Amino acid sequence: MKHIILYLFLLCSPILLSAQKYVDEKVWNRWDSTLISKANTAASIEYMLSEEKLVILITNLARTDGTLFSETFLNTYLEGKKSNKYTKSLYKDLKKVKNLPFLFPERDLYEIAKGHAVKSGKSGHVGHQGFDARFKPVMKKYNSVAENCAYGFDQAIDIAIQLLVDEDIPDLGHRVNMLNQEYNSIGVSIQPHKDYQFNCVMDFGRLNVNR
């Protein structure tokens, strides 16, 4: 049975940190280069921006080895910041994550994400307006779909970490989507936003395929 999962949106979080720290080669050197190459599923996609591709890569690394992700990207990103119940629960959840399916970019999910990000950016809206209508054309292709929206960030590391932490989101819906073994497809678009400067939409889908 096909089903649609709809989650809350994320506004600017007080954890906003420097996006530059994650570039530290010590973080990347802890990861096997072959694994990084495999996780970089959007590398050859011409229609996506580099930061959009990087959102997918970072998300795939979190899905591949949650413990190593915590020790590298998450530790570096949160360095010097006071922990709270959301960061603590993220560390706990990531310990359980290992070898989830990679998310592969799909053009139709990208177009849905881009359309929503562009429209939201121009109108100043936040949230998932028109969710059912936007996904209806592809529901014969995907068994299930879900959506994350983030506001205020245009750097991949900020977007990915903020959605994984999911501060002040009681059901941790964004984190659940990103670490959900059910999904194997994704579309990501980062666009300007009139009120929050930037907004990013991540759309997830489950294809019945073996990759």
Side-chain angles (χ1 to χ4, degrees):
M1 177 180 296
K2 291 178 169 44
H3 62 283
I4 296 175
I5 305 175
L6 177 59
Y7 289 115
L8 298 176
F9 56 85
L10 177 69
L11 295 178
C12 296
S13 165
I15 300 181
L16 179 59
L17 304 174
S18 170
Q20 299 304 315
K21 293 196 296 183
Y22 85 99
V23 181
D24 190 337
E25 64 180 15
K26 293 180 181 179
V27 170
W28 291 97
N29 286 344
R30 290 282 307 277
W31 292 84
D32 178 75
S33 59
T34 301
L35 176 59
I36 291 176
S37 180
K38 290 180 179 179
N40 195 15
T41 55
S44 63
I45 303 298
E46 296 181 354
Y47 57 81
M48 296 183 69
L49 301 173
S50 59
E51 287 299 318
E52 294 168 346
K53 296 179 183 182
L54 191 54
V55 169
I56 296 176
L57 171 57
I58 294 171
T59 302
N60 276 336
L61 292 178
R63 291 167 64 87
T64 299
D65 190 334
T67 298
L68 182 55
F69 187 88
S70 294
E71 295 173 354
T72 54
F73 290 97
L74 189 58
N75 278 353
T76 301
Y77 193 87
L78 297 178
E79 183 179 358
K81 299 297 178 179
K82 187 175 180 180
S83 63
N84 58 38
K85 66 178 183 180
Y86 294 96
T87 56
K88 290 177 180 177
S89 70
L90 177 56
Y91 277 105
K92 184 177 179 180
D93 286 346
L94 285 171
K95 286 183 178 180
K96 307 172 187 176
V97 176
K98 188 73 173 179
N99 297 326
L100 297 183
F102 287 137
L103 298 170
F104 286 82
E106 291 288 336
R107 185 64 182 260
D108 49 8
L109 292 179
Y110 167 79
E111 294 296 345
I112 294 171
K114 182 179 180 180
H116 187 52
V118 169
K119 186 175 181 179
S120 297
K122 290 180 178 179
S123 66
H125 287 162
V126 295
H128 306 277
Q129 292 86 356
F131 182 91
D132 290 355
R134 288 187 283 111
F135 281 93
K136 185 176 181 179
V138 300
M139 288 311 298
K140 290 184 178 180
K141 179 179 178 180
Y142 299 99
N143 282 351
S144 60
V145 295
E147 182 171 88
N148 286 355
C149 298
Y151 303 87
F153 316 116
D154 67 340
Q155 297 293 302
I157 190 65
D158 288 318
I159 293 165
I161 297 295
Q162 298 299 323
L163 289 169
L164 283 169
V165 172
D166 229 3
E167 187 164 342
D168 295 328
I169 305 299
D171 67 356
L172 301 176
H174 305 101
R175 184 190 305 177
V176 170
N177 284 343
M178 294 173 74
L179 302 179
N180 192 333
Q181 65 179 355
E182 179 177 7
Y183 298 120
N184 55 21
S185 306
I186 192 170
V188 176
S189 182
I190 303 171
Q191 299 293 331
H193 193 282
K194 65 179 294 186
D195 293 329
Y196 293 100
Q197 194 172 7
F198 300 102
N199 75 137
C200 175
V201 178
M202 302 173 68
D203 285 334
F204 302 85
R206 178 188 176 185
L207 282 174
N208 281 326
V209 295
N210 293 318
R211 282 167 159 160

